[in-house]
Amino acid sequence: QRVGKRAGQRGGRGLTAAKLLDVTGKTTSGSEAYNYPAPVITDITGPAVTEKIIYPAQYGSPDMVYDGWYWAATVDTSRPGVYSYTVHVQLHELVERNDELVWESVDLTCESSLKIISDPKRNGFTGAGLGVLPLPPVPAAG
């Protein structure tokens, strides 16, 4: 939606005094810094999707801060193995066109994979088995 739009249009996407990263990862600051539009996931593809291991879906949301859309996925855990997939992401670069600054889309991909195992269930963060999460003791109030 923002491709070809002038910088500064639509809800606070204009100039800022804060340091920002540009689309190449370099920091910018001062009067030339712009609030870049949020990255957008445009698709999820690859063997994990075609083999029906991962079922990606884009849903509408009442949260208009993120343009009202978010991605989620359901995973079929009944078929152990490693399945690759690609996340397609769109960033925006500020370019000068016809003597004005406009947003131009930059399409990137991120390769990843799912490892489906048949081992007993474990917490992915702590490695703990079934049951209560191991939480550190909370200091007494007062």
Side-chain angles (χ1 to χ4, degrees):
Q1 289 178 329
R2 292 187 181 99
V3 174
K5 298 256 179 153
R6 286 194 336 257
Q9 287 182 335
R10 289 196 62 202
R13 298 280 183 220
L15 291 167
T16 181
K19 287 185 179 181
L20 298 172
L21 293 177
D22 66 13
V23 75
T24 64
K26 295 177 186 166
T27 55
T28 61
S29 63
S31 62
E32 295 181 10
Y34 282 81
N35 287 318
Y36 280 70
V40 177
I41 296 174
T42 57
D43 203 0
I44 301 174
T45 61
V49 177
T50 58
E51 294 180 33
K52 301 200 182 309
I53 297 299
I54 184 173
Y55 298 87
Q58 188 177 30
Y59 295 98
S61 166
D63 183 0
M64 297 314 288
V65 170
Y66 298 104
D67 295 328
W69 294 98
Y70 66 94
W71 283 84
T74 302
V75 177
D76 178 359
T77 58
S78 68
R79 296 178 14 209
V82 177
Y83 301 91
S84 63
Y85 63 96
T86 303
V87 178
H88 301 262
V89 180
Q90 186 178 79
L91 300 179
H92 295 87
E93 182 176 20
L94 195 56
V95 297
E96 189 172 343
R97 188 179 305 140
N98 299 328
D99 295 325
E100 64 181 5
L101 294 173
V102 296
W103 296 114
E104 187 172 282
S105 65
V106 177
D107 295 316
L108 303 170
T109 58
C110 177
E111 304 295 325
S112 193
S113 63
L114 291 168
K115 182 178 181 182
I116 310 291
I117 60 173
S118 58
D119 295 349
K121 291 182 182 179
R122 296 238 176 252
N123 180 293
F125 298 103
T126 65
L130 297 174
V132 180
L133 288 175
L135 299 175
V138 178

